[in-house]
Amino acid sequence: MSPRIVVGYTATKRGRDAVAFGARLAAATGSVLDVVVVLPATGRSVITPPDASYDRHLHDLAQQWLADAIGRVPDAVTARPHVHAADSFAQGLIEFAHDRGADYLVVGAGGGGLRGRHRLGPTSTELLHSSDVPVVLVPRGARKLAADTAVTRLTVAVSPRPGDETLMSDAAALAFATGAPIRLLSLLPIDLPGPTGDAARSPARPTEADEVLAATNTSLPPGMAAEVVVADGDSIEAAVAALDWQPGELLLAGSGRLAQPRRLFLGSTVAKMLHEVPVPVVVLPRAHHQEGDGA
């Protein structure tokens, strides 16, 4: 069965950003691209009775939007249009992803963001706190990149918390599919609770970060090596901004420690990174821990 990528589409610039990146990822991984417009469920309250003519108009309009979206996808990518009804856009995307066995859900940035930057809207926020399918956040302006832009590198944000084993497994699988090298990134020296500043970043912390990166590197499959980097700065945002980022790069990050098993929950570190990361970000659900492991 071919891998599947689901794009949540709206007839806006952010919708075109999502389709553009979804098509590039599909081309790089040999995936089928499902472009989905989610419409309100037909069931309405007694205050707002059903209107068949309006529903038909909305469905026809969605089909026009989808035709335009599919027309922007390169011929080499298998892309299929879909209309799905649900109570909310995010719920509809999750339902559709389940139905199709999707590997990724792709959404564009919220309105008002700067080009090359992320901004969370209502849909992406809901997905990042409820989805059990990996969510790809696409920065504004992604549609401006050439359609044949390859996936050139996967940067994986690692931490000492349990669950990175699954993160590395997913990263390795994506690296195999795309042929992209892996860069392991630790923000441990500045991702500290309590006071910030020089007092909080003792000389021992970079050493600990190096140990975490080395241990994570050994979890990669035999023969797959990774570049390692320890970010530094006065803040997480400053550290991320100081890193080099390639146009075809992806950032992979796990869910925060408050996530339920097999669910997403946007952690504070990744939320801060989103302020400065200029590339698509893949947020992966928390690993399913065995009962009784206390994680």
Side-chain angles (χ1 to χ4, degrees):
M1 185 176 182
S2 300
R4 303 192 80 96
I5 296 170
V6 172
V7 173
Y9 183 70
T10 57
T12 61
K13 292 180 180 178
R14 59 182 177 269
R16 293 192 289 274
D17 285 336
V19 167
F21 174 74
R24 294 200 299 271
L25 185 59
T29 58
S31 301
V32 173
L33 186 69
D34 291 304
V35 183
V36 185
V37 169
V38 178
L39 297 180
T42 54
R44 294 183 175 87
S45 68
V46 294
I47 300 176
T48 308
D51 185 333
S53 61
Y54 176 76
D55 290 340
R56 284 195 300 271
H57 169 72
L58 199 58
H59 191 274
D60 290 345
L61 194 58
Q63 294 289 0
Q64 294 175 25
W65 295 337
L66 286 166
D68 178 70
I70 297 298
R72 299 172 184 271
V73 176
D75 293 339
V77 175
T78 299
R80 297 168 181 166
H82 306 272
V83 177
H84 184 80
D87 290 335
S88 74
F89 200 91
Q91 177 188 335
L93 290 179
I94 294 172
E95 291 172 352
F96 186 89
H98 287 171
D99 290 343
R100 303 294 165 138
D103 298 275
Y104 300 99
L105 273 173
V106 180
V107 291
L114 298 175
R115 181 174 175 178
R117 289 294 184 268
H118 293 271
R119 183 181 177 89
L120 298 181
T123 296
S124 53
T125 298
E126 185 176 348
L127 288 172
L128 289 173
H129 291 86
S130 61
S131 178
D132 55 354
V133 178
V135 171
V136 184
L137 305 172
V138 181
R140 183 176 177 184
R143 66 190 184 282
K144 300 295 185 180
L145 286 179
D148 60 353
T149 300
V151 176
T152 57
R153 185 169 62 186
L154 306 177
T155 290
V156 184
V158 300
S159 77
R161 302 188 188 106
D164 272 355
E165 298 84 359
T166 300
L167 174 61
M168 293 310 302
S169 175
D170 290 339
L174 190 55
F176 276 127
T178 61
I182 291 177
R183 176 174 68 165
L184 301 178
L185 167 65
S186 176
L187 294 161
L188 184 60
I190 50 177
D191 184 15
L192 299 172
T196 58
D198 294 337
R201 302 206 307 272
S202 68
R205 302 306 287 192
T207 301
E208 184 179 345
D210 291 337
E211 293 173 353
V212 170
L213 287 168
T216 304
N217 207 354
T218 60
S219 68
L220 290 171
M224 179 177 286
E227 174 191 1
V228 296
V229 60
V230 179
D232 194 15
D234 294 332
S235 65
I236 290 172
E237 293 89 342
V240 169
L243 294 170
D244 69 292
W245 297 97
Q246 300 174 0
E249 189 159 0
L250 300 183
L251 171 65
L252 279 69
S255 292
R257 61 181 180 273
L258 296 179
Q260 296 299 310
R262 298 191 185 280
R263 287 293 185 276
L264 286 180
F265 187 90
L266 186 65
S268 60
T269 299
V270 179
K272 293 175 182 176
M273 294 176 73
L274 285 173
H275 295 157
E276 295 294 339
V277 174
V279 301
V281 177
V282 184
V283 185
L284 296 151
R286 181 186 172 195
H288 178 68
H289 299 294
Q290 296 179 352
E291 291 184 5
D293 68 359

